[in-house]
Amino acid sequence: MEIAEYLQTLDREGRLLAAAAERAGTDAKVPTCPDWQVRDLLRHTGAVHRWAAGFVTEGLATPRPLEEDPDLDGAELVAWYRDSHRLLVDTLDAAPADLECWTFHPAPCPSPLTFWTRRQAHETTVHRYDAEAALGAAATPVATDFAVDGIDELLRGFHARSKSQVRTDEPRVLRVRAQDGGADAVWTVRLSAEPPVTSRDTAGTADAELSGPADELYLALWNRVPVPQVAGDRSLASLWRAKAGID
């Protein structure tokens, strides 16, 4: 996918998130994140938007922590989130193609600008789903190509880091297949006592396969919905559910 496509998705998804949060109210529970109310969702996502925009604006080469959550609630908090989202979209839109700044996972990406636009598009899409779940509304569909891209970022980015807790005492192989994503929408995840190693292929025999339509699989791998289909050793699906949370 191109930067312009990620940016368009980020813009749309943030608007949808804000609209759902406003309608649900900041007291509403977020069933997909049981410890959160909508206020927590807005504070977190807005803070991440501002954090990401800072790396792009300042060209920072090293990490820095998120700022403290704002002491806002209700309509003021929704407005603050909208401002945070607009700041991020405008910052990415104005950034130079040759931007140099810090990034934090190794998923294949041609540039830091692509990294941040892609990462924030997926961040916002997943949390938009959370906001719609809090509202009790039907979920806005996730496009197949974008969902495939997000699965790839999750498997070859987040879970390639040393922080990943998806590990097994003995080597195991997990296959992930987006059934409507084309022949290339298949990943082989090699599990061990070390961080997972993922490749986009069907090499070797898998102990289990997680599959389904790309949009459902995308949300399932982010632990928002159940995995559509599990074949083989179901304990590996349970392991994912228990250990795949992102810090």
Side-chain angles (χ1 to χ4, degrees), residues 52 54-62 98-103 112-113 116:
F55 289 107
V56 176
T57 301
E58 300 174 43
L60 297 175
T62 56
D98 60 354
L99 170 73
E100 292 293 336
C101 68
W102 178 76
T103 61
L113 181 56
W116 282 110

Side-chain angles (χ1 to χ4, degrees), residues 11-22 85 128 131-132 140-141:
D11 190 13
R12 180 183 67 248
E13 294 290 329
R15 292 171 186 270
L16 289 170
L17 190 163
E22 186 172 47
H85 172 249
R128 180 271 300 160
E132 290 178 343
T140 302

Side-chain angles (χ1 to χ4, degrees), residues 106-130:
C109 222
S111 70
L113 181 56
T114 306
F115 173 92
W116 282 110
T117 313
R118 179 193 201 193
R119 173 82 293 279
Q120 288 300 293
H122 288 296
E123 175 89 10
T124 310
T125 297
V126 172
H127 288 317
R128 180 271 300 160
Y129 181 85
D130 295 331

Side-chain angles (χ1 to χ4, degrees), residues 8-43:
Q8 183 179 47
T9 299
L10 169 60
D11 190 13
R12 180 183 67 248
E13 294 290 329
R15 292 171 186 270
L16 289 170
L17 190 163
E22 186 172 47
R23 289 174 61 199
T26 55
D27 287 338
K29 296 287 188 181
V30 181
T32 47
C33 301
D35 294 335
W36 277 6
Q37 293 173 287
V38 166
R39 64 173 56 86
D40 303 300
L41 177 65
L42 290 172
R43 289 168 180 168

Side-chain angles (χ1 to χ4, degrees), residues 34-225:
D35 294 335
W36 277 6
Q37 293 173 287
V38 166
R39 64 173 56 86
D40 303 300
L41 177 65
L42 290 172
R43 289 168 180 168
H44 166 78
T45 312
V48 170
H49 287 344
R50 290 172 183 265
W51 176 75
F55 289 107
V56 176
T57 301
E58 300 174 43
L60 297 175
T62 56
R64 70 179 179 190
L66 290 171
E67 297 180 5
E68 291 187 10
D69 290 343
D71 186 20
L72 299 171
D73 206 350
E76 288 184 323
L77 179 58
V78 175
W80 175 85
Y81 172 74
R82 285 193 166 108
D83 288 345
S84 304
H85 172 249
R86 180 47 44 197
L87 171 68
L88 176 64
V89 171
D90 290 347
T91 295
L92 290 167
D93 191 34
D98 60 354
L99 170 73
E100 292 293 336
C101 68
W102 178 76
T103 61
F104 64 86
H105 69 55
C109 222
S111 70
L113 181 56
T114 306
F115 173 92
W116 282 110
T117 313
R118 179 193 201 193
R119 173 82 293 279
Q120 288 300 293
H122 288 296
E123 175 89 10
T124 310
T125 297
V126 172
H127 288 317
R128 180 271 300 160
Y129 181 85
D130 295 331
E132 290 178 343
L135 178 61
T140 302
V142 179
T144 297
D145 58 345
F146 184 72
V148 169
D149 181 81
I151 293 169
D152 191 69
E153 190 215 21
L154 180 62
L155 296 179
R156 295 206 289 166
F158 280 101
H159 287 290
R161 302 184 302 166
S162 61
K163 290 183 177 183
S164 177
Q165 297 301 306
V166 184
R167 305 186 185 208
T168 53
D169 293 334
E170 301 295 331
R172 308 297 299 280
V173 177
L174 177 65
R175 187 150 292 137
V176 176
R177 187 186 306 272
Q179 295 168 335
D180 54 347
D184 294 334
V186 184
W187 298 261
T188 297
V189 185
R190 291 172 174 81
L191 303 174
S192 70
E194 300 298 321
V197 176
T198 300
S199 55
R200 289 189 77 158
D201 59 38
T202 56
T205 301
D207 297 293
E209 179 170 302
L210 312 183
S211 63
D215 59 343
E216 294 180 41
L217 195 58
Y218 172 70
L219 293 170
L221 291 171
W222 278 104
N223 283 344
R224 264 49 186 192
V225 300

